[in-house]
Structure formats: C-alpha cells, structure tokens
C-alpha cells in the first residue's frame, strides 16, 4: 500500500501494538490533515493515530473512539503559539471536531459524532 502524505510517515500513526496499522488511517482524514499541515507551516508531531482496541483500552480511550476507525489523531503541542497555528489550520482545512489539551490537540473527522470543540 502506498503512503501519499509527504509530511507524515505511516509509523507515526501506528498503534504501538500493531506495526503497520497506520495504513488503517482514513484517506480523506489524512488528506485534510496534510492540508492543515501545509496551512500551518509548522511540523505536526503525531502522538496517537490509529489504535487497536487493546491499546485504546490501555490508554483510557472511550469505547467509541474515532482512533479505532482511523479517523483521529493527536498532535503534540509545546506552546500557545503552536496551539493557535495548529487549531486555525485545522479549522481552515475543514475539521469540525477538535479537542485542546495542554500538551496535545485531538482532531477527528468522525461523522457519527457532532461538530464540537472541547478542552481536556
């Protein structure tokens, strides 16, 4: 399987217990994430992408986590400057589900869930 998103490697999206599982990421989600990365003009370091059910449970993920469907990623943030530019880029790229925490930003495109922005 080809990986066509130049600012990311498939391994960044692997569930730690399933090497190669990053290929399970939804291609439309990845297209939008790549678009957001280009808009932001800063690197996106991915701390969580696709998750196996076992890994999702181990990290305390919710039962219906969008990570299980390959429709979500958590992006590491180190400061308010990065947080602002990443959130603005995600919105401009068309994402409408964004969770903001001190050290990461969750983004997903799960159409089974309502549009929302939340904090952790």
């Amino acid at each position: 399987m080809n990986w066509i998103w130049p600012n990311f490697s498939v391994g960044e999206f692997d569930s730690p217990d399933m090497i190669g599982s990053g290929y399970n990421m939804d291609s439309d989600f990845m297209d939008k994430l790549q678009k957001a990365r280009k808009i932001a003009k800063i690197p996106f370091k991915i701390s969580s992408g696709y998750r196996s059910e076992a890994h999702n449970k181990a990290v305390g993920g919710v039962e219906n986590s969008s990570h299980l469907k390959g429709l979500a990623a958590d992006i590491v943030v180190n400061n308010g400057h990065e947080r602002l530019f990443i959130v603005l880029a995600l919105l401009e790229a068309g994402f409408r589900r964004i969770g903001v925490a001190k050290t990461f930003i969750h983004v997903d495109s799960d159409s089974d869930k309502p549009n929302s922005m939340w904090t952790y």
Side-chain angles (χ1 to χ4, degrees), residues 3 9-25 46-52 55:
W3 189 257
S9 69
V10 68
E12 289 180 274
F13 294 88
D14 281 352
S15 184
D17 59 343
M18 289 180 66
I19 302 304
S21 60
Y23 285 112
N24 292 327
M25 294 300 294
I46 306 301
S47 61
S48 185
Y50 181 81
R51 292 181 188 163
S52 68
H55 180 66

Side-chain angles (χ1 to χ4, degrees), residues 41-59:
K41 297 181 182 158
I42 58 174
F44 285 12
K45 181 181 178 190
I46 306 301
S47 61
S48 185
Y50 181 81
R51 292 181 188 163
S52 68
E53 288 189 30
H55 180 66
N56 189 59
K57 187 175 183 178
V59 298

Side-chain angles (χ1 to χ4, degrees), residues 61-120:
V62 296
E63 188 174 307
N64 65 341
S65 173
S66 302
H67 288 276
L68 296 167
K69 302 176 187 178
L71 292 171
D74 294 341
I75 305 164
V76 175
V77 292
N78 296 307
N79 57 58
H81 175 82
E82 287 180 0
R83 191 174 296 107
L84 174 64
F85 279 88
I86 292 171
V87 168
L88 289 174
L90 292 170
L91 290 167
E92 188 174 333
F95 285 106
R96 296 296 179 258
R97 290 189 45 78
I98 300 169
V100 180
K102 184 175 181 179
T103 59
F104 70 94
I105 296 170
H106 169 92
V107 61
D108 74 64
S109 60
D110 194 334
S111 61
D112 293 334
K113 298 177 180 177
N115 293 342
S116 183
M117 182 175 277
W118 63 93
T119 58
Y120 293 94

